[in-house]
Amino acid sequence: MIKAIEWCGDSIRFIDQTKLPTEEVYLKTCDYTVIADAIRKLKIRGAPLIGIAAAYGAALAAVHFREGNLNSFSQQILRAIDELGSTRPTAVNLFWALERMKKVLHNGTDIEQTRKSIIDEAIRIHKEDEEMCRRIGENGAKLIPQTAAILTHCNTGALATGGEGTAQSVITTAHRQGKSIKVYADETRPLLQGARLTTWELMKHGMDVTLITDNMAAFLMQQKKIDIAITGADRIAANGDVANKIGTYNLALIAKHHGVPFYVAAPTSTIDPSIPSGDKIPIEERHKEEVTQGFGKRTAPEGVNVYSPAFDVTPFNLISAIITDQDVYKPPFNFSKLKK
Ligand code: MRU
């Protein structure tokens, strides 16, 4: 399994996802600002992974700030946490992980102990995510029949998490269990996480994967080529509304129309009980160049107006089930028994 990120004691090693699938480039850094920049530029991406990366970023800051007393040390780490938290607004995992780091910092009694506790907490966040991915895979695979054609959107695999993935873990777990799985991967405009990353990962797993452009999904469902649609999530509101990669809402709508079950798979760290419904979830807007000249070639006239929300919100009533590490939730969604 690909390791998207690794803690190396006093540095972080990560795969630059913008270079995939043509080049497998690993970068190493001791500087938390490099991690913040990598999250902004989607070298590191996927909701759970950006939480893990931000936690490790705070740990890097703790390792490398050497001067002053506990108070100035804490102020410096808090500045690093603020910068890491300003990188992307939608995935709640980022803020969830940084809140955990803040709590550890707050409970610190001296610099050495605090530094160690911060590093330990970041490693724990990573390990917990790996385990949550495993449980999501096990819980979700129970919903997959012996033979299934599954449509997925964006990238939800090892590249997006600390383990085997979320939606993708459901798919690969079902495959490992001997089920006959055919995957259709949405290309995922504009940054092509499906085309560049999901197909690359599933081919490494030796799976049967077919790439389609996003606007083909309805036709495939009309042709009865899809049994199940499954995606990840960047933030799940208390009522079950789901923010995920732009295009997810389209997919949920057409799945409903064609009677195809639409599943969302996510760790419990992606559920944000403080947000009552999806309209309150902050949606990131990306640079217009990602749409007009995404991969180096201009595909729209210079000066054209562009609107590029990176995520959309799928209303809970379009979702057949939300698969988490703790449970499989069915509508009406109620997360009050959730252990966080
Ligand atoms: O902009 P990205 O590539 O970070 O968007 C990622 C997604 O939307 C994923 O579907 C989501 O984070 C779930 S990942 C396990």
Side-chain angles (χ1 to χ4, degrees), residues 14-61:
F14 63 94
I15 187 165
D16 178 352
Q17 301 194 30
T18 61
K19 297 276 193 287
L20 289 168
T22 49
E23 290 172 80
E24 203 170 317
V25 176
Y26 289 85
L27 303 173
K28 206 168 184 185
T29 184
C30 297
D31 182 350
Y32 78 87
T33 65
V34 171
I35 297 299
D37 187 61
I39 295 173
R40 263 192 205 99
K41 294 189 173 143
L42 272 62
K43 292 178 182 179
I44 294 173
R45 48 146 300 282
L49 191 70
I50 64 177
I52 295 162
Y56 279 147
L60 273 189

mmCIF file of all heavy atoms in Angstrom, residues 14-61:
data_model
loop_
_atom_site.group_PDB
_atom_site.id
_atom_site.type_symbol
_atom_site.label_atom_id
_atom_site.label_comp_id
_atom_site.label_asym_id
_atom_site.label_seq_id
_atom_site.Cartn_x
_atom_site.Cartn_y
_atom_site.Cartn_z
ATOM 1 N N PHE A 14 6.535 12.899 2.051
ATOM 2 C CA PHE A 14 5.208 12.723 1.439
ATOM 3 C C PHE A 14 5.328 12.624 -0.063
ATOM 4 O O PHE A 14 6.294 13.101 -0.667
ATOM 5 C CB PHE A 14 4.251 13.858 1.838
ATOM 6 C CG PHE A 14 4.680 15.235 1.377
ATOM 7 C CD1 PHE A 14 4.210 15.767 0.184
ATOM 8 C CD2 PHE A 14 5.555 16.000 2.136
ATOM 9 C CE1 PHE A 14 4.592 17.030 -0.231
ATOM 10 C CE2 PHE A 14 5.960 17.267 1.717
ATOM 11 C CZ PHE A 14 5.475 17.780 0.531
ATOM 12 N N ILE A 15 4.326 11.991 -0.652
ATOM 13 C CA ILE A 15 4.307 11.882 -2.115
ATOM 14 C C ILE A 15 3.631 13.142 -2.679
ATOM 15 O O ILE A 15 2.619 13.591 -2.147
ATOM 16 C CB ILE A 15 3.593 10.571 -2.570
ATOM 17 C CG1 ILE A 15 3.743 10.382 -4.076
ATOM 18 C CG2 ILE A 15 2.149 10.503 -2.154
ATOM 19 C CD1 ILE A 15 3.405 8.959 -4.536
ATOM 20 N N ASP A 16 4.238 13.717 -3.692
ATOM 21 C CA ASP A 16 3.668 14.906 -4.343
ATOM 22 C C ASP A 16 2.593 14.429 -5.326
ATOM 23 O O ASP A 16 2.889 13.954 -6.421
ATOM 24 C CB ASP A 16 4.779 15.676 -5.070
ATOM 25 C CG ASP A 16 4.224 16.897 -5.802
ATOM 26 O OD1 ASP A 16 2.982 17.042 -5.870
ATOM 27 O OD2 ASP A 16 5.035 17.690 -6.305
ATOM 28 N N GLN A 17 1.324 14.580 -4.897
ATOM 29 C CA GLN A 17 0.218 14.010 -5.684
ATOM 30 C C GLN A 17 -0.049 14.769 -6.976
ATOM 31 O O GLN A 17 -0.727 14.259 -7.865
ATOM 32 C CB GLN A 17 -1.045 13.946 -4.817
ATOM 33 C CG GLN A 17 -0.837 13.105 -3.581
ATOM 34 C CD GLN A 17 -2.127 12.729 -2.879
ATOM 35 O OE1 GLN A 17 -3.175 12.581 -3.490
ATOM 36 N NE2 GLN A 17 -2.041 12.559 -1.574
ATOM 37 N N THR A 18 0.501 15.983 -7.089
ATOM 38 C CA THR A 18 0.293 16.729 -8.335
ATOM 39 C C THR A 18 1.108 16.128 -9.477
ATOM 40 O O THR A 18 0.849 16.406 -10.637
ATOM 41 C CB THR A 18 0.653 18.227 -8.178
ATOM 42 O OG1 THR A 18 2.043 18.332 -7.834
ATOM 43 C CG2 THR A 18 -0.175 18.899 -7.111
ATOM 44 N N LYS A 19 2.122 15.325 -9.136
ATOM 45 C CA LYS A 19 2.990 14.739 -10.172
ATOM 46 C C LYS A 19 2.446 13.402 -10.701
ATOM 47 O O LYS A 19 2.890 12.910 -11.723
ATOM 48 C CB LYS A 19 4.402 14.506 -9.622
ATOM 49 C CG LYS A 19 5.136 15.781 -9.210
ATOM 50 C CD LYS A 19 5.796 16.411 -10.424
ATOM 51 C CE LYS A 19 6.785 17.494 -10.075
ATOM 52 N NZ LYS A 19 6.165 18.731 -9.606
ATOM 53 N N LEU A 20 1.501 12.825 -9.973
ATOM 54 C CA LEU A 20 0.958 11.520 -10.393
ATOM 55 C C LEU A 20 -0.015 11.682 -11.564
ATOM 56 O O LEU A 20 -0.658 12.716 -11.677
ATOM 57 C CB LEU A 20 0.232 10.853 -9.207
ATOM 58 C CG LEU A 20 1.143 10.351 -8.093
ATOM 59 C CD1 LEU A 20 0.321 9.976 -6.854
ATOM 60 C CD2 LEU A 20 1.958 9.149 -8.560
ATOM 61 N N PRO A 21 -0.136 10.722 -12.443
ATOM 62 C CA PRO A 21 0.430 9.371 -12.381
ATOM 63 C C PRO A 21 1.753 9.223 -13.136
ATOM 64 O O PRO A 21 2.305 8.129 -13.156
ATOM 65 C CB PRO A 21 -0.645 8.532 -13.078
ATOM 66 C CG PRO A 21 -1.164 9.449 -14.143
ATOM 67 C CD PRO A 21 -1.092 10.846 -13.566
ATOM 68 N N THR A 22 2.247 10.311 -13.745
ATOM 69 C CA THR A 22 3.419 10.126 -14.622
ATOM 70 C C THR A 22 4.722 10.015 -13.842
ATOM 71 O O THR A 22 5.656 9.351 -14.278
ATOM 72 C CB THR A 22 3.505 11.270 -15.649
ATOM 73 O OG1 THR A 22 3.367 12.502 -14.957
ATOM 74 C CG2 THR A 22 2.427 11.149 -16.715
ATOM 75 N N GLU A 23 4.789 10.689 -12.676
ATOM 76 C CA GLU A 23 6.026 10.624 -11.878
ATOM 77 C C GLU A 23 5.670 10.324 -10.430
ATOM 78 O O GLU A 23 4.713 10.900 -9.897
ATOM 79 C CB GLU A 23 6.736 11.982 -11.875
ATOM 80 C CG GLU A 23 7.355 12.391 -13.178
ATOM 81 C CD GLU A 23 7.836 13.840 -13.045
ATOM 82 O OE1 GLU A 23 8.920 14.061 -12.462
ATOM 83 O OE2 GLU A 23 7.102 14.735 -13.488
ATOM 84 N N GLU A 24 6.450 9.444 -9.782
ATOM 85 C CA GLU A 24 6.244 9.139 -8.365
ATOM 86 C C GLU A 24 7.334 9.866 -7.590
ATOM 87 O O GLU A 24 8.432 9.350 -7.405
ATOM 88 C CB GLU A 24 6.315 7.616 -8.176
ATOM 89 C CG GLU A 24 5.598 7.151 -6.950
ATOM 90 C CD GLU A 24 5.453 5.628 -6.887
ATOM 91 O OE1 GLU A 24 5.131 4.999 -7.916
ATOM 92 O OE2 GLU A 24 5.686 5.077 -5.802
ATOM 93 N N VAL A 25 7.023 11.092 -7.166
ATOM 94 C CA VAL A 25 8.034 11.946 -6.538
ATOM 95 C C VAL A 25 7.738 12.070 -5.043
ATOM 96 O O VAL A 25 6.620 12.432 -4.660
ATOM 97 C CB VAL A 25 8.019 13.362 -7.180
ATOM 98 C CG1 VAL A 25 8.991 14.297 -6.478
ATOM 99 C CG2 VAL A 25 8.322 13.279 -8.661
ATOM 100 N N TYR A 26 8.730 11.773 -4.208
ATOM 101 C CA TYR A 26 8.574 11.942 -2.757
ATOM 102 C C TYR A 26 9.377 13.164 -2.319
ATOM 103 O O TYR A 26 10.499 13.363 -2.772
ATOM 104 C CB TYR A 26 9.055 10.689 -2.019
ATOM 105 C CG TYR A 26 8.118 9.524 -2.221
ATOM 106 C CD1 TYR A 26 8.240 8.700 -3.342
ATOM 107 C CD2 TYR A 26 7.084 9.271 -1.324
ATOM 108 C CE1 TYR A 26 7.350 7.651 -3.559
ATOM 109 C CE2 TYR A 26 6.197 8.216 -1.530
ATOM 110 C CZ TYR A 26 6.336 7.414 -2.639
ATOM 111 O OH TYR A 26 5.450 6.384 -2.856
ATOM 112 N N LEU A 27 8.771 13.980 -1.458
ATOM 113 C CA LEU A 27 9.449 15.179 -0.948
ATOM 114 C C LEU A 27 9.653 14.988 0.552
ATOM 115 O O LEU A 27 8.851 14.340 1.218
ATOM 116 C CB LEU A 27 8.592 16.418 -1.206
ATOM 117 C CG LEU A 27 8.206 16.678 -2.677
ATOM 118 C CD1 LEU A 27 7.221 17.839 -2.783
ATOM 119 C CD2 LEU A 27 9.454 16.958 -3.511
ATOM 120 N N LYS A 28 10.735 15.585 1.065
ATOM 121 C CA LYS A 28 11.011 15.498 2.504
ATOM 122 C C LYS A 28 11.221 16.915 3.014
ATOM 123 O O LYS A 28 11.897 17.710 2.345
ATOM 124 C CB LYS A 28 12.275 14.667 2.714
ATOM 125 C CG LYS A 28 12.330 14.003 4.055
ATOM 126 C CD LYS A 28 13.430 12.966 4.106
ATOM 127 C CE LYS A 28 13.367 12.268 5.453
ATOM 128 N NZ LYS A 28 14.404 11.350 5.704
ATOM 129 N N THR A 29 10.644 17.235 4.159
ATOM 130 C CA THR A 29 10.817 18.582 4.689
ATOM 131 C C THR A 29 10.851 18.602 6.217
ATOM 132 O O THR A 29 10.250 17.755 6.879
ATOM 133 C CB THR A 29 9.686 19.521 4.204
ATOM 134 O OG1 THR A 29 9.964 20.847 4.673
ATOM 135 C CG2 THR A 29 8.320 19.104 4.716
ATOM 136 N N CYS A 30 11.566 19.606 6.739
ATOM 137 C CA CYS A 30 11.598 19.864 8.194
ATOM 138 C C CYS A 30 10.774 21.112 8.512
ATOM 139 O O CYS A 30 10.780 21.586 9.649
ATOM 140 C CB CYS A 30 13.035 20.125 8.656
ATOM 141 S SG CYS A 30 14.110 18.734 8.433
ATOM 142 N N ASP A 31 10.128 21.688 7.503
ATOM 143 C CA ASP A 31 9.545 23.018 7.622
ATOM 144 C C ASP A 31 8.015 22.918 7.513
ATOM 145 O O ASP A 31 7.490 22.520 6.466
ATOM 146 C CB ASP A 31 10.141 23.866 6.479
ATOM 147 C CG ASP A 31 9.654 25.291 6.505
ATOM 148 O OD1 ASP A 31 8.719 25.592 7.272
ATOM 149 O OD2 ASP A 31 10.207 26.085 5.725
ATOM 150 N N TYR A 32 7.322 23.320 8.570
ATOM 151 C CA TYR A 32 5.857 23.182 8.540
ATOM 152 C C TYR A 32 5.220 24.058 7.460
ATOM 153 O O TYR A 32 4.139 23.762 6.949
ATOM 154 C CB TYR A 32 5.245 23.471 9.926
ATOM 155 C CG TYR A 32 5.144 24.942 10.253
ATOM 156 C CD1 TYR A 32 4.040 25.686 9.867
ATOM 157 C CD2 TYR A 32 6.161 25.589 10.945
ATOM 158 C CE1 TYR A 32 3.947 27.038 10.153
ATOM 159 C CE2 TYR A 32 6.087 26.930 11.226
ATOM 160 C CZ TYR A 32 4.982 27.659 10.828
ATOM 161 O OH TYR A 32 4.904 28.989 11.102
ATOM 162 N N THR A 33 5.899 25.154 7.068
ATOM 163 C CA THR A 33 5.306 26.023 6.027
ATOM 164 C C THR A 33 5.289 25.293 4.671
ATOM 165 O O THR A 33 4.441 25.572 3.827
ATOM 166 C CB THR A 33 6.030 27.385 5.890
ATOM 167 O OG1 THR A 33 7.358 27.158 5.427
ATOM 168 C CG2 THR A 33 6.049 28.147 7.199
ATOM 169 N N VAL A 34 6.222 24.368 4.491
ATOM 170 C CA VAL A 34 6.227 23.560 3.257
ATOM 171 C C VAL A 34 4.991 22.648 3.254
ATOM 172 O O VAL A 34 4.360 22.421 2.222
ATOM 173 C CB VAL A 34 7.540 22.738 3.141
ATOM 174 C CG1 VAL A 34 7.479 21.734 1.994
ATOM 175 C CG2 VAL A 34 8.721 23.683 2.977
ATOM 176 N N ILE A 35 4.642 22.136 4.429
ATOM 177 C CA ILE A 35 3.441 21.286 4.547
ATOM 178 C C ILE A 35 2.186 22.119 4.276
ATOM 179 O O ILE A 35 1.293 21.701 3.536
ATOM 180 C CB ILE A 35 3.382 20.620 5.948
ATOM 181 C CG1 ILE A 35 4.580 19.679 6.152
ATOM 182 C CG2 ILE A 35 2.062 19.873 6.173
ATOM 183 C CD1 ILE A 35 4.664 18.516 5.169
ATOM 184 N N ALA A 36 2.140 23.327 4.845
ATOM 185 C CA ALA A 36 0.978 24.199 4.605
ATOM 186 C C ALA A 36 0.844 24.479 3.105
ATOM 187 O O ALA A 36 -0.257 24.385 2.533
ATOM 188 C CB ALA A 36 1.117 25.499 5.397
ATOM 189 N N ASP A 37 1.963 24.772 2.473
ATOM 190 C CA ASP A 37 1.947 25.064 1.038
ATOM 191 C C ASP A 37 1.520 23.818 0.232
ATOM 192 O O ASP A 37 0.763 23.921 -0.735
ATOM 193 C CB ASP A 37 3.355 25.526 0.633
ATOM 194 C CG ASP A 37 3.387 26.007 -0.797
ATOM 195 O OD1 ASP A 37 2.665 26.991 -1.087
ATOM 196 O OD2 ASP A 37 4.099 25.407 -1.623
ATOM 197 N N ALA A 38 2.005 22.648 0.662
ATOM 198 C CA ALA A 38 1.664 21.398 -0.040
ATOM 199 C C ALA A 38 0.160 21.105 0.072
ATOM 200 O O ALA A 38 -0.459 20.618 -0.879
ATOM 201 C CB ALA A 38 2.471 20.236 0.534
ATOM 202 N N ILE A 39 -0.436 21.432 1.214
ATOM 203 C CA ILE A 39 -1.887 21.227 1.375
ATOM 204 C C ILE A 39 -2.638 22.200 0.449
ATOM 205 O O ILE A 39 -3.556 21.805 -0.270
ATOM 206 C CB ILE A 39 -2.321 21.399 2.851
ATOM 207 C CG1 ILE A 39 -1.685 20.311 3.735
ATOM 208 C CG2 ILE A 39 -3.842 21.356 2.974
ATOM 209 C CD1 ILE A 39 -1.915 20.488 5.233
ATOM 210 N N ARG A 40 -2.206 23.476 0.458
ATOM 211 C CA ARG A 40 -2.857 24.479 -0.409
ATOM 212 C C ARG A 40 -2.819 24.066 -1.876
ATOM 213 O O ARG A 40 -3.783 24.229 -2.603
ATOM 214 C CB ARG A 40 -2.129 25.822 -0.286
ATOM 215 C CG ARG A 40 -2.779 26.731 0.669
ATOM 216 C CD ARG A 40 -2.248 28.147 0.602
ATOM 217 N NE ARG A 40 -2.485 28.734 1.899
ATOM 218 C CZ ARG A 40 -1.576 28.849 2.854
ATOM 219 N NH1 ARG A 40 -0.328 28.497 2.626
ATOM 220 N NH2 ARG A 40 -1.905 29.330 4.023
ATOM 221 N N LYS A 41 -1.658 23.520 -2.287
ATOM 222 C CA LYS A 41 -1.469 23.197 -3.718
ATOM 223 C C LYS A 41 -1.909 21.782 -4.082
ATOM 224 O O LYS A 41 -1.679 21.328 -5.196
ATOM 225 C CB LYS A 41 0.001 23.389 -4.083
ATOM 226 C CG LYS A 41 0.419 24.845 -3.991
ATOM 227 C CD LYS A 41 1.797 25.081 -4.564
ATOM 228 C CE LYS A 41 2.077 26.575 -4.597
ATOM 229 N NZ LYS A 41 3.475 26.866 -4.272
ATOM 230 N N LEU A 42 -2.494 21.054 -3.095
ATOM 231 C CA LEU A 42 -2.992 19.691 -3.342
ATOM 232 C C LEU A 42 -1.895 18.672 -3.659
ATOM 233 O O LEU A 42 -2.154 17.644 -4.254
ATOM 234 C CB LEU A 42 -4.062 19.681 -4.460
ATOM 235 C CG LEU A 42 -5.511 19.920 -3.993
ATOM 236 C CD1 LEU A 42 -5.687 21.270 -3.346
ATOM 237 C CD2 LEU A 42 -6.483 19.745 -5.128
ATOM 238 N N LYS A 43 -0.658 19.008 -3.220
ATOM 239 C CA LYS A 43 0.381 17.967 -3.263
ATOM 240 C C LYS A 43 0.005 16.926 -2.221
ATOM 241 O O LYS A 43 0.282 15.744 -2.352
ATOM 242 C CB LYS A 43 1.751 18.575 -2.916
ATOM 243 C CG LYS A 43 2.255 19.539 -3.970
ATOM 244 C CD LYS A 43 3.575 20.141 -3.555
ATOM 245 C CE LYS A 43 4.027 21.135 -4.605
ATOM 246 N NZ LYS A 43 5.294 21.770 -4.251
ATOM 247 N N ILE A 44 -0.572 17.416 -1.131
ATOM 248 C CA ILE A 44 -1.162 16.571 -0.083
ATOM 249 C C ILE A 44 -2.650 16.894 -0.086
ATOM 250 O O ILE A 44 -3.008 18.079 0.010
ATOM 251 C CB ILE A 44 -0.560 16.923 1.300
ATOM 252 C CG1 ILE A 44 0.926 16.575 1.348
ATOM 253 C CG2 ILE A 44 -1.322 16.229 2.417
ATOM 254 C CD1 ILE A 44 1.635 17.049 2.613
ATOM 255 N N ARG A 45 -3.508 15.880 -0.220
ATOM 256 C CA ARG A 45 -4.936 16.183 -0.353
ATOM 257 C C ARG A 45 -5.763 15.004 0.180
ATOM 258 O O ARG A 45 -5.235 13.960 0.506
ATOM 259 C CB ARG A 45 -5.284 16.501 -1.815
ATOM 260 C CG ARG A 45 -4.701 15.471 -2.768
ATOM 261 C CD ARG A 45 -5.510 15.168 -3.950
ATOM 262 N NE ARG A 45 -6.823 14.655 -3.633
ATOM 263 C CZ ARG A 45 -7.075 13.386 -3.254
ATOM 264 N NH1 ARG A 45 -6.114 12.488 -3.095
ATOM 265 N NH2 ARG A 45 -8.309 13.004 -3.003
ATOM 266 N N GLY A 46 -7.097 15.214 0.185
ATOM 267 C CA GLY A 46 -7.986 14.196 0.751
ATOM 268 C C GLY A 46 -8.216 14.556 2.214
ATOM 269 O O GLY A 46 -7.246 14.837 2.948
ATOM 270 N N ALA A 47 -9.486 14.559 2.635
ATOM 271 C CA ALA A 47 -9.828 15.083 3.961
ATOM 272 C C ALA A 47 -9.006 14.467 5.105
ATOM 273 O O ALA A 47 -8.358 15.193 5.872
ATOM 274 C CB ALA A 47 -11.321 14.921 4.196
ATOM 275 N N PRO A 48 -8.991 13.121 5.242
ATOM 276 C CA PRO A 48 -8.245 12.580 6.382
ATOM 277 C C PRO A 48 -6.746 12.891 6.295
ATOM 278 O O PRO A 48 -6.111 13.202 7.299
ATOM 279 C CB PRO A 48 -8.495 11.073 6.288
ATOM 280 C CG PRO A 48 -9.788 10.954 5.521
ATOM 281 C CD PRO A 48 -9.744 12.064 4.520
ATOM 282 N N LEU A 49 -6.195 12.830 5.059
ATOM 283 C CA LEU A 49 -4.746 13.049 4.932
ATOM 284 C C LEU A 49 -4.359 14.479 5.290
ATOM 285 O O LEU A 49 -3.307 14.704 5.895
ATOM 286 C CB LEU A 49 -4.251 12.708 3.518
ATOM 287 C CG LEU A 49 -2.721 12.672 3.446
ATOM 288 C CD1 LEU A 49 -2.165 11.463 4.194
ATOM 289 C CD2 LEU A 49 -2.212 12.691 2.014
ATOM 290 N N ILE A 50 -5.185 15.467 4.953
ATOM 291 C CA ILE A 50 -4.762 16.827 5.295
ATOM 292 C C ILE A 50 -4.823 17.040 6.816
ATOM 293 O O ILE A 50 -4.026 17.796 7.362
ATOM 294 C CB ILE A 50 -5.481 17.938 4.485
ATOM 295 C CG1 ILE A 50 -6.968 18.012 4.746
ATOM 296 C CG2 ILE A 50 -5.210 17.801 3.003
ATOM 297 C CD1 ILE A 50 -7.632 19.158 3.978
ATOM 298 N N GLY A 51 -5.717 16.322 7.491
ATOM 299 C CA GLY A 51 -5.718 16.374 8.961
ATOM 300 C C GLY A 51 -4.426 15.801 9.528
ATOM 301 O O GLY A 51 -3.785 16.400 10.403
ATOM 302 N N ILE A 52 -4.036 14.652 8.999
ATOM 303 C CA ILE A 52 -2.803 13.997 9.471
ATOM 304 C C ILE A 52 -1.590 14.887 9.172
ATOM 305 O O ILE A 52 -0.719 15.102 10.023
ATOM 306 C CB ILE A 52 -2.641 12.615 8.779
ATOM 307 C CG1 ILE A 52 -3.767 11.672 9.212
ATOM 308 C CG2 ILE A 52 -1.269 12.005 9.052
ATOM 309 C CD1 ILE A 52 -3.961 10.461 8.289
ATOM 310 N N ALA A 53 -1.550 15.419 7.954
ATOM 311 C CA ALA A 53 -0.412 16.257 7.543
ATOM 312 C C ALA A 53 -0.313 17.508 8.417
ATOM 313 O O ALA A 53 0.788 17.919 8.813
ATOM 314 C CB ALA A 53 -0.552 16.639 6.074
ATOM 315 N N ALA A 54 -1.463 18.104 8.733
ATOM 316 C CA ALA A 54 -1.447 19.309 9.562
ATOM 317 C C ALA A 54 -0.941 18.977 10.968
ATOM 318 O O ALA A 54 -0.167 19.737 11.564
ATOM 319 C CB ALA A 54 -2.833 19.924 9.613
ATOM 320 N N ALA A 55 -1.371 17.820 11.490
ATOM 321 C CA ALA A 55 -0.897 17.408 12.824
ATOM 322 C C ALA A 55 0.617 17.211 12.791
ATOM 323 O O ALA A 55 1.340 17.685 13.692
ATOM 324 C CB ALA A 55 -1.597 16.119 13.248
ATOM 325 N N TYR A 56 1.122 16.551 11.765
ATOM 326 C CA TYR A 56 2.572 16.379 11.632
ATOM 327 C C TYR A 56 3.257 17.735 11.423
ATOM 328 O O TYR A 56 4.392 17.944 11.881
ATOM 329 C CB TYR A 56 2.895 15.448 10.462
ATOM 330 C CG TYR A 56 2.776 13.964 10.777
ATOM 331 C CD1 TYR A 56 2.362 13.065 9.799
ATOM 332 C CD2 TYR A 56 3.111 13.454 12.025
ATOM 333 C CE1 TYR A 56 2.261 11.696 10.060
ATOM 334 C CE2 TYR A 56 3.014 12.086 12.298
ATOM 335 C CZ TYR A 56 2.600 11.221 11.315
ATOM 336 O OH TYR A 56 2.513 9.873 11.586
ATOM 337 N N GLY A 57 2.583 18.654 10.733
ATOM 338 C CA GLY A 57 3.143 20.001 10.539
ATOM 339 C C GLY A 57 3.354 20.679 11.884
ATOM 340 O O GLY A 57 4.408 21.281 12.145
ATOM 341 N N ALA A 58 2.352 20.556 12.759
ATOM 342 C CA ALA A 58 2.485 21.139 14.105
ATOM 343 C C ALA A 58 3.623 20.445 14.860
ATOM 344 O O ALA A 58 4.382 21.096 15.605
ATOM 345 C CB ALA A 58 1.167 21.001 14.866
ATOM 346 N N ALA A 59 3.758 19.129 14.642
ATOM 347 C CA ALA A 59 4.847 18.386 15.302
ATOM 348 C C ALA A 59 6.213 18.869 14.787
ATOM 349 O O ALA A 59 7.161 19.010 15.573
ATOM 350 C CB ALA A 59 4.680 16.887 15.063
ATOM 351 N N LEU A 60 6.284 19.159 13.495
ATOM 352 C CA LEU A 60 7.547 19.702 12.939
ATOM 353 C C LEU A 60 7.896 21.025 13.604
ATOM 354 O O LEU A 60 9.052 21.275 13.952
ATOM 355 C CB LEU A 60 7.398 19.984 11.431
ATOM 356 C CG LEU A 60 7.673 18.891 10.432
ATOM 357 C CD1 LEU A 60 7.664 19.469 9.019
ATOM 358 C CD2 LEU A 60 9.001 18.194 10.704
ATOM 359 N N ALA A 61 6.876 21.864 13.759
ATOM 360 C CA ALA A 61 7.100 23.162 14.407
ATOM 361 C C ALA A 61 7.630 22.929 15.823
ATOM 362 O O ALA A 61 8.580 23.599 16.260
ATOM 363 C CB ALA A 61 5.800 23.955 14.439
#
